[in-house]
Amino acid sequence: DKVLVDCYSGAFQAVEFLIQSGCKKIAHLAGPQNSSPHEQRLNGYLDALKKNKIPIKKEYIRYVSGFTSISGIKASEVLLKLKNPPDAIFAVNDNIAIAAINIAKKMSIKIPEELSIVGFNDDPHSSFMTPSLSTVLQPIFSIGMLSARILLHHLKGVNTKIEFRHEVFKTELIIRDSFYCF
């Protein structure tokens, strides 16, 4: 059984919204390579750029080693110190996006006026940041509930025929203060 979220669509939607809002130099703080959800987010990012005829710059894609804010510090510094820094960052998760916000603040980069940042997950602390983090919401509670129901169904042996389920939840873009519409 698999209960997943549509990472590709969420990433595509976030990056396309950045583009439609006027951002042209969009970077991606990508998750560790060889991880399916993170590859889907990277592909959503890339396809949104391609669809909108924005050149893909390899220097705008930085891979992080983990999923905590600490993991995003070095990659954020590298992006924001580029000769031609991005005007937006799409981060693989909210913790990495928070690292980017903190590094930008230390470098006196104004968010969202000079740099828009969008995360992925809608972690509870994201709305309490200053500025509050724009993000792609994953319906974590619903995913957990459905996963538990499927597991209980299997444990009860309701059906002697083993049927595996593959469920995919939709995401939702949540716009907060870290996102600026030009």
Side-chain angles (χ1 to χ4, degrees):
D1 296 302
K2 290 184 181 181
V3 180
L4 310 166
V5 69
D6 188 349
C7 290
Y8 173 88
S9 178
F12 186 93
Q13 180 186 14
V15 174
E16 187 154 71
F17 196 79
L18 285 166
I19 294 166
Q20 291 170 353
S21 297
C23 299
K24 300 292 181 214
K25 302 183 296 179
I26 304 166
H28 181 41
L29 290 169
Q33 294 175 305
N34 302 320
S35 167
S36 180
H38 304 113
E39 286 179 12
Q40 291 171 23
R41 292 174 197 183
L42 174 61
N43 289 333
Y45 160 81
L46 294 171
D47 287 350
L49 294 179
K50 289 175 192 171
K51 178 187 173 207
N52 291 279
K53 297 179 176 53
I54 293 179
I56 296 167
K57 297 183 177 184
K58 290 185 180 186
E59 66 267 21
Y60 281 177
I61 301 171
R62 295 288 169 194
Y63 293 91
V64 298
S65 59
F67 304 106
T68 66
S69 294
I70 292 170
S71 303
I73 292 172
K74 185 166 178 64
S76 297
E77 287 174 339
V78 170
L79 279 177
L80 297 175
K81 288 180 180 178
L82 288 171
K83 184 177 180 181
N84 187 17
D87 58 9
I89 295 174
F90 168 60
V92 69
N93 70 19
D94 287 355
N95 287 329
I96 302 301
I98 289 167
I101 287 173
N102 288 329
I103 295 302
K105 283 180 176 181
K106 286 180 183 175
M107 296 174 70
S108 299
I109 297 170
K110 294 177 186 166
I111 302 167
E113 295 86 353
E114 297 173 325
L115 179 68
S116 290
I117 300 177
V118 178
F120 203 109
N121 289 347
D122 194 29
D123 291 339
H125 59 280
S126 299
S127 63
F128 298 110
M129 297 263 326
T130 302
S132 59
L133 179 63
S134 298
T135 187
V136 177
L137 178 139
Q138 294 189 87
I140 298 298
F141 182 79
S142 298
I143 291 168
M145 290 296 292
L146 180 58
S147 297
R149 282 189 201 123
I150 291 170
L151 178 61
L152 290 172
H153 178 81
H154 286 308
L155 291 174
K156 288 180 182 178
V158 174
N159 190 351
T160 55
K161 180 182 173 190
I162 296 178
E163 295 178 18
F164 293 107
R165 290 179 64 179
H166 182 93
E167 303 290 337
V168 180
F169 281 86
K170 299 273 184 214
T171 59
E172 178 185 350
L173 184 60
I174 307 294
I175 303 300
R176 296 191 182 112
D177 297 335
S178 69
F179 188 92
Y180 184 74
C181 295
F182 296 96

